[in-house]
Amino acid sequence: MRVTVRVNGEEKVADDVWEGESLLYVLRERMGLPGSKNACEQGECGSCTVFLDDVAVCACLVAAGQAEGREVHTVEGLADGDRLDPVQEAFVETGAVQCGFCTPGLIVATHDLVRRVPKPTDAEIRESLAGNLCRCTGYEKILDAVRLAASRMEGAS
C-alpha cells in the first residue's frame, strides 16, 4: 500500500508499505528520519515518541496505514534549520544528553508537557516523562533540562 503523510510540514510518500509496518519503521527506514529511536517495539520505553495530529504517541505502536493523510512531527521537525529549539538547547546545556538513545522521545514528551503545563512542578514532570526510560543519566539532568526549557519557553511567550 502507499502511505502519504505530512511529516514536519512536508508531504511524504512511502510505497509498498505492508499492513503490519509501523509508523516508526516508515519514518526511519523509508523517509530517512532516524531521530525517533527503535528500542523496545512495545511502547514501553518512549524512545520513538512523535506527535501524530498533535498528540504524543509511540510510533512503534502506530500502524503506518493509520497515519495516512495525517500530520506527524518528529524530533527533527522541532529545530529551525540549524537552530535548535529551546527544549533541545536545554537538554544539551544541562548535560541531559548522554548516549542519546532516549533523548528524542524525551524531547518530544517535554514539548508535549510544556505546551500543556507551562510551569510544571517536579511531580508533573516526573509523571509526564514516566513513559520514557533512560539508562544513562539518572534522570536528574533530564529534570533540570525540562525546568530550564519550561522557564525559557514561558519567558518567550
Side-chain angles (χ1 to χ4, degrees):
M1 90 176 123
R2 170 177 274 188
V3 176
T4 305
V5 183
R6 189 158 191 79
V7 181
N8 300 327
E10 180 182 327
E11 187 170 293
K12 298 217 176 228
V13 177
D15 285 317
D16 299 321
V17 175
W18 60 279
E19 290 78 12
E21 210 163 298
S22 71
L23 175 60
L24 176 62
Y25 184 86
V26 169
L27 290 170
R28 289 181 55 80
E29 305 301 329
R30 296 180 180 270
M31 297 182 175
L33 295 165
S36 304
K37 302 300 184 226
N38 185 0
C40 74
E41 294 186 56
Q42 297 176 0
E44 296 291 328
C45 72
S47 294
C48 65
T49 304
V50 299
F51 287 114
L52 179 62
D53 290 339
D54 249 3
V55 175
V57 299
C58 290
C60 72
L61 297 180
V62 176
Q66 290 177 290
E68 172 65 34
R70 297 173 76 183
E71 185 85 28
V72 174
H73 282 93
T74 68
V75 69
E76 290 96 340
L78 299 176
D80 184 12
D82 289 339
R83 186 167 179 255
L84 297 178
D85 89 314
V87 174
Q88 293 167 319
E89 286 178 350
F91 269 71
V92 171
E93 288 176 30
T94 60
V97 177
Q98 290 195 11
C99 84
F101 213 79
C102 66
T103 306
L106 283 163
I107 287 173
V108 172
T110 298
H111 265 276
D112 185 50
L113 169 63
V114 172
R115 74 177 181 186
R116 289 182 294 106
V117 184
K119 294 171 82 169
T121 64
D122 282 359
E124 290 169 321
I125 294 169
R126 289 176 190 276
E127 182 176 339
S128 182
L129 300 184
N132 295 78
L133 303 179
C134 175
R135 296 177 185 212
C136 298
T137 66
Y139 295 98
E140 200 54 46
K141 291 177 186 262
I142 293 168
L143 293 173
D144 292 342
V146 176
R147 290 182 203 111
L148 179 60
S151 70
R152 286 182 177 168
M153 292 172 81
E154 181 189 33
S157 55

